[in-house]
Amino acid sequence: MKSNAKLIITVLITLGIIFALVGMININSSFIPDDNEVIDSDNEKPKTPAVSGKIHIDDDNPSINWTVAKEDGICTGNGIYSDPYIIEDLEIDGENSGSCIWIDNSEVYFRIENCTLFNSGEGFDDAGIKLVDVNNGQLLNNNCSNNNNKGIRLWNCNNSIISGNIVKDNYGYGIALYGSGNNTISGNTISNTYSGIALQGWLSDQTKGFNNVFTENLMYECGFRIIGNLEILLSTEIDTTNLVNGKPVYYCTNQENLRSTDFPNAGQLILVNCSGSLISNLNISYTTIGISLHYCNNSVISGNTVNNNTYYGIFLDNSNNNYISENAANTNNCSGLMIWDSNNNTISGNVANYNYYYGGLYLINCDNNTISENTANNIKRFHGICFENSKNNIISGNIVNNNNWSGICLVGCSYNTLSGNTALNNIECGIILIESIYNTISGNTANYNQWGLVLYTSSYNTISGNSLIGNDECIVEFNCQGNVIEDNDCTLPPITPSLNYLPTILVISSTIIAVSVFIIYQNRKRFRKPQEDIEFL
């Protein structure tokens, strides 16, 4: 009996071991993929975007509001914080007109995510995603590239989050906010556009545009363009996690006695309400604006290189008593130096050649400045140096040659002194005054231009002692009175043309000058501080 019992026990133990081994083999085999199965526990296969037509949701319009959009299958959710409306995984071709997704007059909670939006129109309002009068929106992980104006545009929008989007190869701006506040813009990648991120606080209601936060945005060959009153700019937060070409953006407010060593490896520098700064020997190029001073006084900007920026090399806005000298501001897409509403500055010895749209130096609403010994040659579109609505400035000793329009231009200016400047071989004018009065133009050399000096609707100016040799026409007046013109040296003495040719000459000259003035005024409007927008495109 004992031997039988032992045999039975042995058999049972053996069977138990066999069954255990079989179970282990079955369990392990469940983790072995088939030949055709690939397992990636870290990365799910991305969804293929569904192709969609353009979307317009206006919550003030019962026929195209969120409720209708949900019924049409455009979105899911219920528009509340815990269950927002969601538009996702769409691909929309704007077909060169309008915006791909346009949300109007919305207070509900919503998200637009994982969408590909391209080829929107070229109008100022057009964008891959356009939000107008919208609160509580989130734009997450979208690709808003290859649009004809802006990638993402917010107008009067609040409490929005714009994060993780790819915004590249847009003709105008990457992300633009107008009169929009309390928004967070983070972790976006932006490249190949005029302005990577534009913030403009100017709307008719000056209480809008406050408290925007920008973090961890990556911009390549573009950067920030910030416009607004002092309160808006001081409420804006831009930290050094924002990078331009892999270098930090420095946005400094309410500081004194800053030095270049405070900005190591700067990709862009923006100072707001700072005084006593000494910024020298920095190289800040290939961004939107190299160095910007807003409401800054008693500072020195000297010896810096600010080339190849999509807007300006150096920008001064409401900044007084500064010394801007010996900077290289070349080949910028708009201007080498752009100066708004700034007085009593000395701008001397800068080189601003080969800039494109508006010239080497462009000053608007600026008084009592000294502009001396700067060089602004080979401007591709307009003027070497231009003043608009400015008075009591001294413009002396500058070299402004080979520009596509004029060497020096005054528009709506008075009581300025131009002396000792050299303006040679400009395509149109050596010096031109438009609607400008009581200026003194003396001792300048304006040779070998089409017109040496042009006065268009400009009166009571003194034009004396200038060298105006080799121009097609020495001095041209159109609709002027009371100008004193004396002792100027022309190639030939001023001769009244033959009466047979006089009508033709007057018509041609007047037409050319009128067209020139019209173009200047059209572009002037784009620079004037408007209530709703300002941009040069």
Side-chain angles (χ1 to χ4, degrees):
M1 292 292 294
K2 289 183 179 180
S3 62
N4 290 337
K6 289 181 179 179
L7 179 61
I8 292 169
I9 292 169
T10 301
V11 171
L12 292 173
I13 291 171
T14 302
L15 291 173
I17 292 170
I18 291 170
F19 286 130
L21 291 172
V22 170
M24 292 176 64
I25 292 170
N26 288 336
I27 292 170
N28 289 334
S29 67
S30 68
F31 289 95
I32 300 174
D34 295 335
D35 291 340
N36 296 323
E37 183 182 0
V38 178
I39 295 177
D40 186 351
S41 60
D42 294 326
N43 297 293
E44 295 182 0
K45 186 177 180 180
K47 296 180 180 179
T48 301
V51 177
S52 170
K54 290 183 284 189
I55 295 170
H56 182 196
I57 297 171
D58 184 347
D59 227 22
D60 282 354
N61 186 336
S63 64
I64 54 172
N65 62 16
W66 282 104
T67 301
V68 173
K70 182 177 179 180
E71 291 172 353
D72 291 342
I74 293 172
C75 63
T76 60
N78 291 299
I80 59 176
Y81 180 81
S82 60
D83 185 21
Y85 289 120
I86 298 176
I87 299 172
E88 62 180 342
D89 301 320
L90 298 179
E91 179 180 297
I92 302 176
D93 181 351
E95 298 180 334
N96 294 310
S97 68
S99 298
C100 299
I101 297 178
W102 175 8
I103 311 297
D104 256 333
N105 303 307
S106 175
E107 295 285 340
V108 300
Y109 291 88
F110 70 90
R111 290 205 309 265
I112 300 171
E113 59 185 6
N114 299 320
C115 292
T116 300
L117 309 159
F118 60 97
N119 211 20
S120 62
E122 63 182 17
F124 167 74
D125 290 344
D126 297 337
I129 300 175
K130 178 172 74 170
L131 308 182
V132 179
D133 298 321
V134 166
N135 297 328
N136 306 313
Q138 296 186 18
L139 311 180
L140 309 176
N141 303 316
N142 301 286
N143 190 330
C144 298
S145 302
N146 296 294
N147 293 285
N148 292 304
N149 197 309
K150 300 175 179 68
I152 297 171
R153 177 182 184 269
L154 276 65
W155 182 278
N156 191 28
C157 297
N158 303 295
N159 304 312
S160 302
I161 295 174
I162 303 173
S163 182
N165 301 283
I166 296 173
V167 189
K168 63 181 182 179
D169 300 315
N170 296 292
Y171 182 73
Y173 294 171
I175 299 173
L177 290 79
Y178 300 92
S180 299
N182 297 296
N183 301 291
T184 299
I185 296 86
S186 67
N188 302 286
T189 300
I190 308 166
S191 64
N192 195 25
T193 186
Y194 283 105
S195 285
I197 298 175
L199 172 65
Q200 181 173 312
W202 279 321
L203 284 173
S204 55
D205 186 348
Q206 287 288 322
T207 64
K208 297 179 179 180
F210 289 87
N211 302 314
N212 294 289
V213 177
F214 301 86
T215 62
E216 297 183 340
N217 298 289
L218 306 179
M219 290 167 280
Y220 299 93
E221 297 195 0
C222 59
F224 284 96
R225 183 169 183 252
I226 309 296
I227 304 295
N229 61 37
L230 179 59
E231 292 75 17
I232 289 172
L233 296 180
L234 291 177
S235 74
T236 300
E237 296 182 24
I238 301 173
D239 64 24
T240 54
T241 64
N242 297 282
L243 303 180
V244 169
N245 303 321
K247 303 175 182 180
V249 175
Y250 293 97
Y251 187 85
C252 301
T253 61
N254 297 326
Q255 300 291 311
E256 294 184 359
N257 302 317
L258 292 166
R259 296 295 182 264
S260 299
T261 53
D262 296 315
F263 315 111
N265 198 33
Q268 187 173 5
L269 177 58
I270 305 169
L271 305 183
V272 180
N273 199 39
C274 296
S275 63
S277 301
L278 174 58
I279 310 302
S280 62
N281 301 316
L282 297 179
N283 187 338
I284 306 180
S285 302
Y286 295 99
T287 181
T288 293
I289 302 172
I291 299 172
S292 302
L293 275 65
H294 302 266
Y295 302 91
C296 293
N297 303 320
N298 303 308
S299 295
V300 175
I301 310 298
S302 180
N304 301 285
T305 300
V306 283
N307 298 332
N308 297 293
N309 298 294
T310 57
Y311 265 80
Y312 323 128
I314 296 173
F315 178 39
L316 270 64
D317 171 26
N318 283 280
S319 295
N320 305 319
N321 299 300
N322 300 289
Y323 188 74
I324 314 299
S325 71
E326 298 181 1
N327 301 284
N330 302 309
T331 327
N332 297 285
N333 196 59
C334 192
S335 296
L337 287 80
M338 176 64 71
I339 303 173
W340 292 351
D341 299 305
S342 297
N343 306 320
N344 300 301
N345 298 288
T346 297
I347 301 171
S348 178
N350 302 283
V351 177
N353 297 331
Y354 295 99
N355 296 288
Y356 189 73
Y357 273 95
Y358 292 100
L361 292 81
Y362 202 109
L363 295 88
I364 304 174
N365 301 330
C366 295
D367 302 335
N368 302 302
N369 298 283
T370 297
I371 312 299
S372 66
E373 299 182 3
N374 302 284
T375 301
N377 297 332
N378 297 292
I379 301 306
K380 297 299 183 181
R381 190 167 176 182
F382 284 115
H383 319 288
I385 297 174
C386 187
F387 280 77
E388 181 181 325
N389 296 335
S390 300
K391 61 181 182 293
N392 296 316
N393 298 285
I394 296 172
I395 302 112
S396 66
N398 301 285
I399 299 172
V400 284
N401 301 331
N402 301 300
N403 298 299
N404 197 53
W405 201 267
S406 71
I408 298 175
C409 176
L410 302 183
V411 182
C413 294
S414 58
Y415 299 102
N416 300 285
T417 299
L418 278 70
S419 65
N421 301 286
T422 301
L424 308 178
N425 296 300
N426 296 286
I427 298 298
E428 303 292 342
C429 313
I431 300 170
I432 181 170
L433 278 64
I434 301 170
E435 292 188 356
S436 295
I437 60 174
Y438 297 111
N439 298 283
T440 299
I441 316 296
S442 66
N444 302 283
T445 300
N447 299 337
Y448 307 109
N449 309 282
Q450 182 170 358
W451 300 292
L453 197 149
V454 174
L455 299 164
Y456 184 92
T457 319
S458 296
S459 301
Y460 307 108
N461 300 283
T462 299
I463 314 297
S464 66
N466 300 286
S467 174
L468 304 170
I469 296 172
N471 301 291
D472 293 348
E473 295 188 56
C474 182
I475 298 173
V476 176
E477 291 186 276
F478 184 84
N479 193 28
C480 302
Q481 62 180 2
N483 292 306
V484 175
I485 301 175
E486 59 187 8
D487 299 326
N488 299 288
D489 183 8
C490 295
T491 302
L492 297 173
I495 299 175
T496 302
S498 169
L499 295 179
N500 292 329
Y501 296 101
L502 182 59
T504 302
I505 293 171
L506 288 175
V507 168
I508 293 173
S509 298
S510 299
T511 301
I512 293 173
I513 294 171
V515 170
S516 303
V517 172
F518 174 77
I519 293 173
I520 292 169
Y521 270 107
Q522 287 300 104
N523 289 282
R524 173 190 182 191
K525 291 177 183 177
R526 293 173 181 172
F527 270 122
R528 187 176 297 159
K529 290 185 178 180
Q531 293 300 309
E532 296 185 343
D533 180 59
I534 182 163
E535 62 179 11
F536 78 93
L537 293 172

